[in-house]
Amino acid sequence: MMARMSQSPAIARPHVLVVDDETVLAGMVANYLQQAGFRTTVVHDGPSAVTRALSADRPDVVVLDLGLPGKDGMEVCHEIRRHSDCYIIMLTARNEEIDKLIGLSAGADDYMTKPFSARELVARVQVLLRRPRADRIVDEPVRDIGALRLDPSGRRIAVDGEDVDLTRIEFDLLQVLSARPQAAFTRRQLVDAVWGEDWVGDEHLVDVHIGHLRRKLADVADLAFVDTVRGVGYRMGSGR
């Protein structure tokens, strides 16, 4: 009797959801991603994007166009962010600062301006997936800085005992700053620590996420948690 050959378990491929109403472009992007070893799903409107992003087979990364029928990319991004911590790369149609800010303010991790290189998009997806996931176990003590308490292992932030809901990037930025409270970090240093050293893009996206972080903390207590260091970048505030 012929012995049955043992099979090693299949390694799950990262899943990327491509959302764009330009069917040719969406297909091209999906093709490049598949060639790079990713599993892809393609949809062409906002409501379908939300449904697929929050389905049982949730994506690891969503490539999301800003201009979509049914619901625009910003609405879709907001809805996904309420229920999922997947990575989101926003695609914008114009090379204008407002488009980039809209995408980042909605909770996107990164953005690209059309027309873009599909190979660069694949590289951006790979960079995001190399970042430590939010569910990793971090054996670090709780940090108390003034009225702020940061719990690295539980990924929780509280101000005066009240929990503050932060995005993954906002938490990571605060975690980097609070690790060395007296140090001033440049944008590039924060990009390297949070997005990764091989990330390529506009470093001013740090300013947008810092702005959101400050507003969320200020909604709980009007205290200085993140200071601007003129000509350099940012530093952890005293929280007093």
Side-chain angles (χ1 to χ4, degrees), residues 127 131 173 176 185-207 209:
V127 167
R131 289 185 54 208
L173 284 169
V176 172
F185 291 83
T186 65
R187 292 185 184 91
R188 186 66 243 180
Q189 287 175 316
L190 291 171
V191 165
D192 289 349
V194 175
W195 282 266
E197 295 182 0
D198 46 3
W199 184 88
V200 178
D202 186 350
E203 295 175 7
H204 284 83
L205 90 167
V206 172
D207 302 337
H209 289 290

Side-chain angles (χ1 to χ4, degrees), residues 95-105 108-111 124 169 173 185-192 195 199-215 228-234:
N95 189 20
E96 294 184 7
E97 192 66 23
I98 186 63
D99 287 337
K100 301 170 186 176
L101 296 180
I102 286 173
L104 294 174
S105 67
D109 297 282
D110 197 0
Y111 65 84
R124 296 279 187 100
I169 284 183
L173 284 169
F185 291 83
T186 65
R187 292 185 184 91
R188 186 66 243 180
Q189 287 175 316
L190 291 171
V191 165
D192 289 349
W195 282 266
W199 184 88
V200 178
D202 186 350
E203 295 175 7
H204 284 83
L205 90 167
V206 172
D207 302 337
V208 179
H209 289 290
I210 289 288
H212 297 325
L213 172 61
R214 281 171 163 165
R215 283 193 291 274
T228 299
V229 182
R230 185 171 298 180
V232 179
Y234 299 98

Side-chain angles (χ1 to χ4, degrees), residues 142-151 156-166 171 174 213-226 236-240:
V142 171
R143 302 171 191 168
D144 290 305
I145 301 175
L148 183 144
R149 167 164 284 205
L150 184 148
D151 177 7
R156 295 179 60 187
I157 295 290
V159 175
D160 282 336
E162 181 176 343
D163 286 342
V164 182
D165 185 21
L166 301 182
F171 182 93
L174 193 59
L213 172 61
R214 281 171 163 165
R215 283 193 291 274
K216 289 182 179 181
L217 295 174
D219 284 344
V220 180
D222 188 15
L223 300 169
F225 292 109
V226 179
M236 192 72 202
S238 65
R240 300 180 189 281

